[in-house]
Amino acid sequence: MKTLPTTLWRATAILALCNAPAEAQTYQQVWADELNGSISSAWQVETGGGGWGNNEKQFYQAANASVVNGNLLITARKQNVGGLPYTSARMITKGIKEFTYGKIEARLKLPLGLGLWPAFWMLGGTISSVGWPACGEIDIMEHINSENRIYGTPHWDSNGGHAEYSDSAVTTPADYHVYSVEWDASSIRWFLDGTQYHSMSIQNNAGSTEEFHRPFFLLLNLAVAGNWPGQTVDESKLPTTMYVDYVRVYQKSSTPPPSLLLQAEASSAMSGVQLEGCSDTGGGQDVGWIDTNDWLAYSNINFPTSGSYTIEYRVASPGGGRISANLNAGARQRSHSGHRRLAELGHRGPNRTRQCGHL
Ligand SMILES: [Ca+2]
Ligand SMILES: [Ca+2]
């Protein structure tokens, strides 16, 4: 133990081990409507007829949407309103809840019958300014008539024309199922109960897909008749209802990598060093007056996850110096033999500074 060292450095209060890999990206829920109580202010319940661009035969009105027992119910009825023979409901989050990328899902139970066309889908928020299909459309789930399959389809503008790319999956639409897309800068992927059945690349705007790198809003509706299901409606099925248990949106966010903080003075063993009080708030003690060949050892370090870690020291030295570290008391754990130099200290005066090395 030396009190007047020739080469001294002062390691402080902190020796941090930081996980080095790229930060993990995990889905975090950013919005959800569990559809309990009543229709939330996130939704605009639309009113109107006119065919909605598909020669549909329903008039949409708020009276056909309600929340009952934790479900949104959209009910199609045989009812003359606005010169049309049926009523139903359509709800959108335009201008209120719009998202670029993410995992968007809903748990739905669908009505079956000739002429019925329920959908859970998204439109680009730019529709008011650029129109359709230049705004882009992502149909997360569509169903028609009494088919035993559901469809996932993007629509977009490709060189002035309408482009679409559809696929489908067989299911039991009259039972509850979870329908979702996972959408990022690379692709859009469609899932039925967590199983992917369709994908489309949008990387670097492949195929003129720049539409899909902008905010989209959500839609829920139940159309009656139209160009796709046809104009024949099985009125014996009316009224009939589309059930929505929930709508949930997740986006990827970076989570801090795992790290460990070791107080330097809490070593398991040492040779040749002394402790002193640390002036940092909560800093405990410093380890000071370390001379050549002095050492500190830390036993039983539990790494949060396996992987590559960076060691960050907090050290100071008025005269320069060199520090090094090894694993398992010198046992080979890396491709390097012997000690690996982790930090070379210049003349930094009494102020502590950070030095990094890779373990
Ligand atoms: Ca385009
Ligand atoms: Ca619910």
Side-chain angles (χ1 to χ4, degrees):
M1 184 176 292
K2 288 87 174 173
T3 54
L4 291 172
T6 51
T7 300
L8 91 121
W9 58 276
R10 179 172 294 182
T12 206
I14 296 172
L15 188 155
L17 297 169
C18 308
N19 202 328
E23 294 192 354
Q25 294 245 301
T26 55
Y27 277 118
Q28 309 284 332
Q29 191 174 95
V30 294
W31 181 67
D33 191 340
E34 300 295 330
L35 296 160
N36 296 320
S38 59
I39 295 172
S40 81
S41 59
W43 299 98
Q44 176 188 341
V45 184
E46 296 191 291
T47 301
W52 295 88
N54 297 299
N55 295 312
E56 300 166 20
K57 287 184 172 177
Q58 80 292 321
F59 185 91
Y60 286 132
Q61 56 182 9
N64 293 55
S66 60
V67 172
V68 179
N69 295 330
N71 278 250
L72 168 70
L73 278 56
I74 295 179
T75 300
R77 297 191 172 96
K78 180 169 169 52
Q79 178 186 21
N80 283 295
V81 175
L84 292 161
Y86 308 106
T87 57
S88 188
R90 168 173 147 137
M91 300 163 47
I92 66 176
T93 65
K94 185 170 187 287
I96 302 170
K97 292 292 178 185
E98 300 194 355
F99 305 94
T100 306
Y101 308 142
K103 175 181 176 181
I104 299 99
E105 68 177 13
R107 185 169 182 261
L108 309 173
K109 188 171 82 166
L110 308 178
L112 303 186
L114 198 58
L116 300 175
W117 182 7
F120 170 48
W121 51 304
M122 295 191 289
L123 279 169
T126 57
I127 189 168
S128 302
S129 54
V130 306
W132 186 94
C135 61
E137 173 179 329
I138 301 171
D139 299 327
I140 302 170
M141 189 294 307
E142 288 185 286
H143 179 262
I144 55 167
N145 303 322
S146 298
E147 292 191 359
N148 67 342
R149 64 178 59 242
I150 53 84
Y151 297 82
T153 312
H155 299 262
W156 70 102
D157 179 284
S158 180
N159 300 314
H162 167 220
E164 63 180 305
Y165 180 52
S166 188
D167 206 343
S168 65
V170 170
T171 186
T172 52
D175 299 329
Y176 278 107
H177 293 283
V178 176
Y179 302 96
S180 60
V181 292
E182 293 188 17
W183 167 33
D184 57 31
S186 300
S187 66
I188 308 171
R189 303 172 298 282
W190 282 256
F191 295 82
L192 166 61
D193 293 327
T195 299
Q196 182 178 322
Y197 66 92
H198 185 32
S199 70
M200 181 178 78
S201 173
I202 57 170
Q203 193 149 30
N204 301 319
N205 303 330
S208 187
T209 53
E210 74 286 346
E211 290 90 336
F212 299 110
H213 302 281
R214 299 170 185 154
F216 275 57
F217 61 91
L218 309 181
L219 302 93
L220 289 163
N221 72 298
L222 172 53
V224 183
N227 292 340
W228 190 18
Q231 294 300 328
T232 304
V233 177
D234 181 356
E235 295 185 348
S236 72
K237 295 292 198 300
L238 303 181
T240 193
T241 298
M242 169 186 184
Y243 294 82
V244 185
D245 181 9
Y246 58 75
V247 176
R248 296 172 183 165
V249 179
Y250 306 81
Q251 289 183 318
K252 285 189 172 177
S253 62
S254 296
T255 53
S259 64
L260 281 174
L261 180 66
L262 302 178
Q263 296 291 348
E265 72 272 21
S267 60
S268 310
M270 66 164 71
S271 175
V273 298
Q274 287 184 314
L275 303 180
E276 63 169 359
C278 178
S279 59
D280 290 355
T281 301
Q285 290 181 296
D286 281 344
V287 176
W289 298 285
I290 300 175
D291 203 354
T292 301
N293 296 326
D294 290 352
W295 54 265
L296 296 157
Y298 299 84
S299 302
N300 301 316
I301 297 173
N302 292 312
F303 290 86
T305 63
S306 32
S308 177
Y309 285 77
T310 295
I311 296 183
E312 186 177 84
Y313 301 95
R314 197 164 174 220
V315 294
S317 169
R322 180 180 291 183
I323 56 176
S324 63
N326 60 18
L327 275 173
N328 284 15
R332 284 178 58 97
Q333 292 292 305
R334 298 166 282 119
S335 59
H336 304 273
S337 60
H339 288 223
R340 185 177 184 190
R341 193 179 73 201
L342 290 175
E344 186 143 18
L345 306 180
H347 180 86
R348 299 183 187 279
N351 293 323
R352 296 170 180 84
T353 188
R354 292 184 185 279
Q355 296 286 330
C356 290
H358 296 283
L359 184 62

